[in-house]
Amino acid sequence: MNRTLRAALALLTSVTALLGLTTFAGTAGAAHPTAGQTTRYAMTAFTNSSESNMYVYDSPDATGFTLRKGPAYTPPSGLIRDPSIFKHTDGLYYLTYTTNWTGNTIGFARSTDRVNWTFLYNHTIPVSGLTRTWAPEWFIDTDGSVNVIVSLTSASTATHFTGYKITATNSALTAWSTPAQLAGIGPNYIDTFVVKVGSTYHAFTKNETTKYIEYATASSLTGPYTFKKTGNWAGFGDWVEGPALVRLDNGGWRIYYDGYRAGKYWYSDSYDNFATWSTPTEVPGLSGLIRHATVLKETVSGGVTLPTDTTRSLQSVNFPSRYAVVRSDNLGYIDPVTSSGSTAVKQSATFTVVPGLADANCYSFRDSAGRYLRHWDYRIRFDSSSGTAVFDKDATYCARPGATAGSVSLESYNYPGRYLRHYDYALRMDLYQSTDTFRADSSFTVVSPWA
């Protein structure tokens, strides 16, 4: 982490504590799943090469996605642009999607496993004179109501869209209310995506004139919405569309969006109630391929569990004679360790695995001197705890499946998408890359301790 930013965050944490407030990240209930469970992020998208087929990906960390099936669904007619996924109370998964460039319908499909889909029906939006019916997005309100937010226009060209919502009037999702306009969003706004935090509705929507994703809030789903941020307020750039948000396990929010003019697909994270966002990062392996995706977060069985309150060593997967160590400069490396080596070297490769300082469902690693493995300016070092929230987050890592059976990758708690990996034998926190080399460099086998 940049030292100036780190100091600012530390000051913010101190001020927050003095005022008796809680920060957006790390709020009550924001924690990784318990042992035996894991988070799964399922993504549905169409691609640059096909707007008639949908592809399904999933990820344990919202960063590195793996194709599960593609094509996974092809409607009986028309297109499947802008597919939006959610899981209903009946345990089934449902899609809604744009059926064509022109017209007044949206499509629905259903699945038992997110991968294999069955067409249900096309629903006609009962608004007179519609020429385009685009970008339907599920929104499940806190009262349990199932809604679809959809962008509608009666114009002769693809402009002047206005946001509307329809609400399911039966649990089978086969009957829908009359469309209600989202007051304040339109005309000239499209791809509206809504999340609710507390009692406030937060809408992210594309301005069709400026091509920026803008931000508005309301106290009711149908508004009136007040725009809080316009232009390039978050650094997302212009000629972007299709915003979709998901909550991360550490309490932050991630937005995905389509940089369609540049042919890129991006994500960015926020930890301060949507006020500021991290530098946009391309979605590894999928940028330039997918279009207008949505992501569903679920807690499922499985995951990686490490033994805690025991000593262990971390063996490199692709350099198995080398282990994570702390050298005399307090920095982390992977060095050779042998049975005939010195006691000091063996000790440097031995750590106590403890519940994560920032999240007990993740992990921290303490050496024999009581120092913790933590990142600083993305370099791994070993320091004594300062007792601050910033330190606790720096020293907490969440276990993900590694590149080989039985191995583990360790994701940064406070920088999701960055992993402990070796580079020129030095240990770093680097952004996930969709390459075999990165996956091997960031995988370790937890083995019996050297000392």
mmCIF file of all heavy atoms in Angstrom, residues 103-130:
data_model
loop_
_atom_site.group_PDB
_atom_site.id
_atom_site.type_symbol
_atom_site.label_atom_id
_atom_site.label_comp_id
_atom_site.label_asym_id
_atom_site.label_seq_id
_atom_site.Cartn_x
_atom_site.Cartn_y
_atom_site.Cartn_z
ATOM 1 N N GLY A 103 -38.172 -4.021 -29.881
ATOM 2 C CA GLY A 103 -39.302 -4.793 -29.382
ATOM 3 C C GLY A 103 -39.668 -4.430 -27.964
ATOM 4 O O GLY A 103 -39.128 -3.486 -27.366
ATOM 5 N N ASN A 104 -40.593 -5.204 -27.399
ATOM 6 C CA ASN A 104 -41.155 -4.876 -26.086
ATOM 7 C C ASN A 104 -41.160 -6.061 -25.129
ATOM 8 O O ASN A 104 -41.998 -6.148 -24.234
ATOM 9 C CB ASN A 104 -42.579 -4.330 -26.244
ATOM 10 C CG ASN A 104 -43.524 -5.333 -26.896
ATOM 11 O OD1 ASN A 104 -43.107 -6.413 -27.318
ATOM 12 N ND2 ASN A 104 -44.797 -4.972 -26.969
ATOM 13 N N THR A 105 -40.218 -7.007 -25.304
ATOM 14 C CA THR A 105 -40.186 -8.178 -24.424
ATOM 15 C C THR A 105 -38.839 -8.324 -23.730
ATOM 16 O O THR A 105 -37.807 -7.839 -24.200
ATOM 17 C CB THR A 105 -40.469 -9.481 -25.208
ATOM 18 O OG1 THR A 105 -39.404 -9.708 -26.149
ATOM 19 C CG2 THR A 105 -41.795 -9.414 -25.935
ATOM 20 N N ILE A 106 -38.879 -9.019 -22.590
ATOM 21 C CA ILE A 106 -37.672 -9.513 -21.932
ATOM 22 C C ILE A 106 -37.840 -11.012 -21.755
ATOM 23 O O ILE A 106 -38.956 -11.521 -21.669
ATOM 24 C CB ILE A 106 -37.409 -8.832 -20.569
ATOM 25 C CG1 ILE A 106 -38.609 -8.989 -19.626
ATOM 26 C CG2 ILE A 106 -37.052 -7.375 -20.757
ATOM 27 C CD1 ILE A 106 -38.379 -8.437 -18.223
ATOM 28 N N GLY A 107 -36.730 -11.742 -21.710
ATOM 29 C CA GLY A 107 -36.790 -13.196 -21.625
ATOM 30 C C GLY A 107 -36.536 -13.706 -20.231
ATOM 31 O O GLY A 107 -35.893 -13.040 -19.399
ATOM 32 N N PHE A 108 -37.020 -14.938 -19.960
ATOM 33 C CA PHE A 108 -36.792 -15.597 -18.684
ATOM 34 C C PHE A 108 -36.392 -17.043 -18.928
ATOM 35 O O PHE A 108 -36.933 -17.718 -19.824
ATOM 36 C CB PHE A 108 -38.044 -15.562 -17.802
ATOM 37 C CG PHE A 108 -38.372 -14.194 -17.279
ATOM 38 C CD1 PHE A 108 -39.231 -13.361 -17.978
ATOM 39 C CD2 PHE A 108 -37.800 -13.732 -16.110
ATOM 40 C CE1 PHE A 108 -39.529 -12.096 -17.506
ATOM 41 C CE2 PHE A 108 -38.086 -12.453 -15.633
ATOM 42 C CZ PHE A 108 -38.955 -11.639 -16.323
ATOM 43 N N ALA A 109 -35.444 -17.533 -18.115
ATOM 44 C CA ALA A 109 -35.011 -18.926 -18.156
ATOM 45 C C ALA A 109 -34.739 -19.385 -16.725
ATOM 46 O O ALA A 109 -34.592 -18.565 -15.807
ATOM 47 C CB ALA A 109 -33.774 -19.089 -19.028
ATOM 48 N N ARG A 110 -34.629 -20.714 -16.541
ATOM 49 C CA ARG A 110 -34.481 -21.275 -15.197
ATOM 50 C C ARG A 110 -33.469 -22.413 -15.213
ATOM 51 O O ARG A 110 -33.286 -23.092 -16.223
ATOM 52 C CB ARG A 110 -35.842 -21.779 -14.711
ATOM 53 C CG ARG A 110 -35.861 -22.317 -13.284
ATOM 54 C CD ARG A 110 -37.289 -22.573 -12.837
ATOM 55 N NE ARG A 110 -37.956 -23.561 -13.698
ATOM 56 C CZ ARG A 110 -39.272 -23.740 -13.720
ATOM 57 N NH1 ARG A 110 -40.070 -22.984 -12.968
ATOM 58 N NH2 ARG A 110 -39.793 -24.662 -14.517
ATOM 59 N N SER A 111 -32.812 -22.618 -14.046
ATOM 60 C CA SER A 111 -31.792 -23.660 -13.940
ATOM 61 C C SER A 111 -31.766 -24.221 -12.518
ATOM 62 O O SER A 111 -32.039 -23.509 -11.547
ATOM 63 C CB SER A 111 -30.409 -23.084 -14.275
ATOM 64 O OG SER A 111 -29.378 -24.002 -14.007
ATOM 65 N N THR A 112 -31.400 -25.483 -12.419
ATOM 66 C CA THR A 112 -31.199 -26.087 -11.099
ATOM 67 C C THR A 112 -29.764 -25.962 -10.617
ATOM 68 O O THR A 112 -29.498 -26.122 -9.422
ATOM 69 C CB THR A 112 -31.571 -27.583 -11.128
ATOM 70 O OG1 THR A 112 -30.730 -28.246 -12.092
ATOM 71 C CG2 THR A 112 -33.026 -27.772 -11.499
ATOM 72 N N ASP A 113 -28.821 -25.680 -11.559
ATOM 73 C CA ASP A 113 -27.405 -25.761 -11.202
ATOM 74 C C ASP A 113 -26.544 -24.601 -11.723
ATOM 75 O O ASP A 113 -25.316 -24.679 -11.669
ATOM 76 C CB ASP A 113 -26.823 -27.082 -11.722
ATOM 77 C CG ASP A 113 -26.938 -27.226 -13.236
ATOM 78 O OD1 ASP A 113 -27.383 -26.256 -13.904
ATOM 79 O OD2 ASP A 113 -26.576 -28.295 -13.758
ATOM 80 N N ARG A 114 -27.169 -23.555 -12.266
ATOM 81 C CA ARG A 114 -26.501 -22.382 -12.846
ATOM 82 C C ARG A 114 -25.875 -22.661 -14.215
ATOM 83 O O ARG A 114 -25.476 -21.728 -14.898
ATOM 84 C CB ARG A 114 -25.341 -21.847 -11.960
ATOM 85 C CG ARG A 114 -25.655 -21.504 -10.562
ATOM 86 C CD ARG A 114 -24.378 -21.322 -9.759
ATOM 87 N NE ARG A 114 -23.621 -22.568 -9.691
ATOM 88 C CZ ARG A 114 -22.421 -22.731 -10.193
ATOM 89 N NH1 ARG A 114 -21.803 -21.738 -10.799
ATOM 90 N NH2 ARG A 114 -21.798 -23.900 -10.084
ATOM 91 N N VAL A 115 -25.782 -23.911 -14.599
ATOM 92 C CA VAL A 115 -25.026 -24.292 -15.793
ATOM 93 C C VAL A 115 -25.932 -24.703 -16.941
ATOM 94 O O VAL A 115 -25.694 -24.337 -18.097
ATOM 95 C CB VAL A 115 -24.035 -25.424 -15.445
ATOM 96 C CG1 VAL A 115 -23.329 -25.930 -16.695
ATOM 97 C CG2 VAL A 115 -23.008 -24.930 -14.418
ATOM 98 N N ASN A 116 -26.976 -25.451 -16.630
ATOM 99 C CA ASN A 116 -27.899 -25.943 -17.652
ATOM 100 C C ASN A 116 -29.234 -25.227 -17.489
ATOM 101 O O ASN A 116 -29.840 -25.275 -16.409
ATOM 102 C CB ASN A 116 -28.078 -27.458 -17.513
ATOM 103 C CG ASN A 116 -26.761 -28.198 -17.673
ATOM 104 O OD1 ASN A 116 -26.222 -28.276 -18.767
ATOM 105 N ND2 ASN A 116 -26.228 -28.723 -16.574
ATOM 106 N N TRP A 117 -29.697 -24.591 -18.573
ATOM 107 C CA TRP A 117 -30.836 -23.682 -18.483
ATOM 108 C C TRP A 117 -31.977 -24.124 -19.388
ATOM 109 O O TRP A 117 -31.756 -24.701 -20.445
ATOM 110 C CB TRP A 117 -30.398 -22.266 -18.872
ATOM 111 C CG TRP A 117 -29.429 -21.680 -17.881
ATOM 112 C CD1 TRP A 117 -28.073 -21.843 -17.867
ATOM 113 C CD2 TRP A 117 -29.756 -20.881 -16.746
ATOM 114 N NE1 TRP A 117 -27.530 -21.175 -16.791
ATOM 115 C CE2 TRP A 117 -28.541 -20.577 -16.084
ATOM 116 C CE3 TRP A 117 -30.955 -20.375 -16.243
ATOM 117 C CZ2 TRP A 117 -28.490 -19.787 -14.936
ATOM 118 C CZ3 TRP A 117 -30.909 -19.595 -15.091
ATOM 119 C CH2 TRP A 117 -29.692 -19.318 -14.450
ATOM 120 N N THR A 118 -33.197 -23.798 -18.922
ATOM 121 C CA THR A 118 -34.408 -24.083 -19.680
ATOM 122 C C THR A 118 -35.165 -22.790 -19.925
ATOM 123 O O THR A 118 -35.384 -22.003 -18.985
ATOM 124 C CB THR A 118 -35.317 -25.058 -18.905
ATOM 125 O OG1 THR A 118 -34.610 -26.273 -18.667
ATOM 126 C CG2 THR A 118 -36.590 -25.350 -19.691
ATOM 127 N N PHE A 119 -35.543 -22.568 -21.167
ATOM 128 C CA PHE A 119 -36.335 -21.385 -21.505
ATOM 129 C C PHE A 119 -37.696 -21.455 -20.811
ATOM 130 O O PHE A 119 -38.350 -22.495 -20.789
ATOM 131 C CB PHE A 119 -36.525 -21.316 -23.020
ATOM 132 C CG PHE A 119 -37.473 -20.234 -23.471
ATOM 133 C CD1 PHE A 119 -37.090 -18.902 -23.449
ATOM 134 C CD2 PHE A 119 -38.750 -20.567 -23.916
ATOM 135 C CE1 PHE A 119 -37.966 -17.910 -23.880
ATOM 136 C CE2 PHE A 119 -39.627 -19.583 -24.343
ATOM 137 C CZ PHE A 119 -39.234 -18.243 -24.323
ATOM 138 N N LEU A 120 -38.127 -20.318 -20.232
ATOM 139 C CA LEU A 120 -39.447 -20.238 -19.618
ATOM 140 C C LEU A 120 -40.437 -19.518 -20.531
ATOM 141 O O LEU A 120 -41.398 -20.105 -21.004
ATOM 142 C CB LEU A 120 -39.357 -19.530 -18.260
ATOM 143 C CG LEU A 120 -38.622 -20.303 -17.152
ATOM 144 C CD1 LEU A 120 -38.588 -19.486 -15.875
ATOM 145 C CD2 LEU A 120 -39.282 -21.655 -16.904
ATOM 146 N N TYR A 121 -40.183 -18.236 -20.788
ATOM 147 C CA TYR A 121 -41.113 -17.475 -21.621
ATOM 148 C C TYR A 121 -40.523 -16.091 -21.870
ATOM 149 O O TYR A 121 -39.574 -15.668 -21.192
ATOM 150 C CB TYR A 121 -42.477 -17.322 -20.935
ATOM 151 C CG TYR A 121 -42.428 -16.572 -19.613
ATOM 152 C CD1 TYR A 121 -42.688 -15.210 -19.552
ATOM 153 C CD2 TYR A 121 -42.111 -17.232 -18.426
ATOM 154 C CE1 TYR A 121 -42.631 -14.514 -18.350
ATOM 155 C CE2 TYR A 121 -42.052 -16.556 -17.224
ATOM 156 C CZ TYR A 121 -42.315 -15.201 -17.181
ATOM 157 O OH TYR A 121 -42.241 -14.522 -15.995
ATOM 158 N N ASN A 122 -41.077 -15.386 -22.837
ATOM 159 C CA ASN A 122 -40.817 -13.969 -23.039
ATOM 160 C C ASN A 122 -41.996 -13.187 -22.476
ATOM 161 O O ASN A 122 -43.155 -13.526 -22.736
ATOM 162 C CB ASN A 122 -40.633 -13.643 -24.519
ATOM 163 C CG ASN A 122 -39.314 -14.144 -25.064
ATOM 164 O OD1 ASN A 122 -38.370 -14.377 -24.315
ATOM 165 N ND2 ASN A 122 -39.236 -14.333 -26.371
ATOM 166 N N HIS A 123 -41.669 -12.164 -21.711
ATOM 167 C CA HIS A 123 -42.708 -11.339 -21.085
ATOM 168 C C HIS A 123 -42.819 -10.018 -21.837
ATOM 169 O O HIS A 123 -41.821 -9.329 -22.045
ATOM 170 C CB HIS A 123 -42.366 -11.073 -19.623
ATOM 171 C CG HIS A 123 -43.299 -10.124 -18.947
ATOM 172 N ND1 HIS A 123 -44.621 -10.439 -18.682
ATOM 173 C CD2 HIS A 123 -43.115 -8.852 -18.484
ATOM 174 C CE1 HIS A 123 -45.196 -9.417 -18.081
ATOM 175 N NE2 HIS A 123 -44.313 -8.438 -17.949
ATOM 176 N N THR A 124 -44.047 -9.679 -22.237
ATOM 177 C CA THR A 124 -44.299 -8.421 -22.926
ATOM 178 C C THR A 124 -44.506 -7.310 -21.901
ATOM 179 O O THR A 124 -45.347 -7.435 -21.004
ATOM 180 C CB THR A 124 -45.542 -8.524 -23.823
ATOM 181 O OG1 THR A 124 -45.327 -9.539 -24.801
ATOM 182 C CG2 THR A 124 -45.817 -7.197 -24.520
ATOM 183 N N ILE A 125 -43.725 -6.245 -22.015
ATOM 184 C CA ILE A 125 -43.871 -5.094 -21.126
ATOM 185 C C ILE A 125 -45.046 -4.254 -21.631
ATOM 186 O O ILE A 125 -45.003 -3.737 -22.756
ATOM 187 C CB ILE A 125 -42.585 -4.251 -21.106
ATOM 188 C CG1 ILE A 125 -41.389 -5.116 -20.677
ATOM 189 C CG2 ILE A 125 -42.742 -3.058 -20.176
ATOM 190 C CD1 ILE A 125 -41.437 -5.630 -19.276
ATOM 191 N N PRO A 126 -46.090 -4.085 -20.815
ATOM 192 C CA PRO A 126 -47.303 -3.413 -21.285
ATOM 193 C C PRO A 126 -47.210 -1.890 -21.237
ATOM 194 O O PRO A 126 -47.915 -1.225 -20.463
ATOM 195 C CB PRO A 126 -48.375 -3.943 -20.331
ATOM 196 C CG PRO A 126 -47.647 -4.189 -19.056
ATOM 197 C CD PRO A 126 -46.273 -4.649 -19.459
ATOM 198 N N VAL A 127 -46.326 -1.346 -22.058
ATOM 199 C CA VAL A 127 -46.202 0.108 -22.207
ATOM 200 C C VAL A 127 -46.387 0.419 -23.686
ATOM 201 O O VAL A 127 -45.667 -0.116 -24.536
ATOM 202 C CB VAL A 127 -44.842 0.619 -21.702
ATOM 203 C CG1 VAL A 127 -44.668 2.106 -22.009
ATOM 204 C CG2 VAL A 127 -44.698 0.378 -20.204
ATOM 205 N N SER A 128 -47.331 1.269 -24.001
ATOM 206 C CA SER A 128 -47.666 1.552 -25.389
ATOM 207 C C SER A 128 -46.513 2.218 -26.131
ATOM 208 O O SER A 128 -45.854 3.116 -25.609
ATOM 209 C CB SER A 128 -48.901 2.461 -25.447
ATOM 210 O OG SER A 128 -49.222 2.799 -26.771
ATOM 211 N N GLY A 129 -46.254 1.739 -27.336
ATOM 212 C CA GLY A 129 -45.298 2.395 -28.215
ATOM 213 C C GLY A 129 -43.848 2.063 -27.981
ATOM 214 O O GLY A 129 -42.961 2.711 -28.558
ATOM 215 N N LEU A 130 -43.544 1.070 -27.169
ATOM 216 C CA LEU A 130 -42.143 0.736 -26.891
ATOM 217 C C LEU A 130 -41.430 0.323 -28.171
ATOM 218 O O LEU A 130 -41.943 -0.471 -28.967
ATOM 219 C CB LEU A 130 -42.039 -0.399 -25.879
ATOM 220 C CG LEU A 130 -42.322 -0.080 -24.418
ATOM 221 C CD1 LEU A 130 -42.090 -1.319 -23.564
ATOM 222 C CD2 LEU A 130 -41.442 1.062 -23.933
#
